[in-house]
Amino acid sequence: MVASEIRALFAVAARPEIVSLAGGSPYVAALPLDAVGDMVGQLIASRGDIALQYCTAQGDAGLRERICEVMALEEIPAHPDEIVVTVGSQQALDLLARIFIDPGDVILAEAPSYVGALGAFAAYQASVRHVAMDDDGLIPEALEEAIRRTAAAGRRAKFLYTVPNFHNPAGVTLAAGRRRRILDICQREGLLVVEDNPYGLLGFDGEPMRALRADDDEGVVYLGTFSKTFAAGVRVGWAVAPAAIRDKLILAAESAVLCHSSFAQLTVREYLATQPWQEQIKTFRELYRERRDATLSALSRMMPPGCHWTRPAGGFYVWLRLPDGVDAKAMLPRAISSRVAYVPGTGFYADGSGGQYARLCYSFPDPARISEGVRRLASVIQTEIQLRDDFGPAPETL
Ligand SMILES: Cc1ncc(COP(=O)(O)O)c(C=O)c1O
């Protein structure tokens, strides 16, 4: 295991003078905190004997019923028995890695991929092979090629890990027309899909996309979480899996934590039963849309030539490509001195490549701070370009 680049950054980025476009924290201050506080107080007063007790490793049955209602928004026809409640989707990633990965096993994952998933896979010594994406998400031909190469090396991937909606960190979404193709390829090859979907309900235009799991309940393990649609601090997520995998997930969860927090689960269950949660998701969507707009507008006004970036239709992230010869990791100390933080792209590649990229997260600072952050970043990049022109590219990019 190695220290996550993001965690190491958090301490510095949290300083008030720094505009942090680094950590992917949801803006939980937009929740009706008084109402949530009253709800939690009533929960303890009326059902504290259950909320403060152990529960089953699969998770509270009432919460699992509610989770089915949440997933119906993405057309997933799930039954509560198929669901395992987890400590955020991060624990589901860890449990899946624990079940499936022996040292050296191949996992296919998008290029780039969510740093927390790469961390979980690395902890079990997986060999991650990245599969290219473009503005429409994972490229089916690239997936076929990756499967072919893996087979040519006498190997077989354990699963494909994908974030189809509003990708972390790339900010792109798997196009509707590609979803069937990806599933067809995986079905043909007998390749399990792990669909990690924290941001699916946070799209800025139109209805949520149909989940991969909606079209294949035998070949797709779906991971969901309340971290971005309610509160990251309650640490409640879930996995929906075919029966054999679900049973292993329950056993693995039991040995890891005995059972999950009843208190956290009943808090979420109560929130879904008594609070206008769909309205709250709309509030979050509006808020993040405004921040996305502020980010894109500032980038197009201020970034020097040679920079390129994705235009997310939902979620939290913009993936910024720096001009040739400018390295995001080498530039970071100068960015911090200029009071702006981001995450260098290297954290999102198992092989440490991606130095030309930076992840910008717009979920937390308000639009004025975002503009100021992008202004500071643009000026740092401009200086890097000058240094590159005067002294040649940073050693990391050679
Ligand atoms: C793609 C992705 N998967 C999983 C997670 C983990 O979320 P949590 O453990 O809070 O549910 C995150 C958090 O940022 C994420 O972006």
Side-chain angles (χ1 to χ4, degrees), residues 264-389:
Q265 292 183 63
L266 291 202
T267 297
V268 176
R269 173 176 157 184
E270 204 63 11
Y271 177 76
L272 295 173
T274 65
Q275 306 294 312
W277 61 274
Q278 301 215 38
E279 286 306 308
Q280 182 59 40
I281 291 177
K282 270 191 204 148
T283 303
F284 279 132
R285 278 207 300 258
E286 289 310 314
L287 185 103
Y288 296 136
R289 183 213 304 273
E290 197 188 2
R291 291 173 185 200
R292 185 273 317 255
D293 290 346
T295 310
L296 293 182
S297 150
L299 286 167
S300 54
R301 278 182 286 119
M302 300 178 205
M303 277 295 142
C307 293
H308 303 276
W309 54 90
T310 52
R311 289 169 176 73
F316 288 9
Y317 310 101
V318 168
W319 188 232
L320 173 67
R321 185 178 168 174
L322 300 171
D324 290 342
V326 175
D327 183 84
K329 209 165 176 180
M331 184 174 81
L332 189 58
R334 286 188 277 272
I336 299 284
S337 306
S338 299
R339 295 169 296 128
V340 60
Y342 57 84
V343 185
T346 40
F348 303 97
Y349 288 84
D351 60 3
S353 60
Q356 208 181 344
Y357 293 90
R359 188 192 75 177
L360 309 183
C361 177
Y362 50 77
S363 57
F364 201 76
D366 66 32
R369 294 270 292 171
I370 289 172
S371 252
E372 176 57 20
V374 172
R375 191 192 65 73
R376 292 174 190 174
L377 183 58
S379 146
V380 174
I381 296 172
Q382 193 61 63
T383 308
E384 294 293 302
I385 293 171
Q386 198 59 54
L387 285 170
R388 175 200 68 187
D389 292 348

Side-chain angles (χ1 to χ4, degrees), residues 24 87-91 93 114 116-117 161 163 167-168 196-199 223-228 232 235-237 316-317 359:
V87 183
S89 41
Q90 187 63 36
Q91 192 202 20
L93 289 167
Y114 168 56
Y161 169 73
V163 179
H167 192 273
N168 179 5
D196 186 10
N197 188 29
Y199 307 98
L223 309 186
T225 176
F226 290 102
S227 285
K228 319 290 174 171
R235 307 305 300 131
V236 176
F316 288 9
Y317 310 101
R359 188 192 75 177

Side-chain angles (χ1 to χ4, degrees), residues 40 43-44 50-53 260-268:
V40 170
L43 170 66
I44 295 299
I50 300 169
L52 301 178
Q53 189 54 274
H260 300 114
S261 158
S262 316
F263 177 48
Q265 292 183 63
L266 291 202
T267 297
V268 176

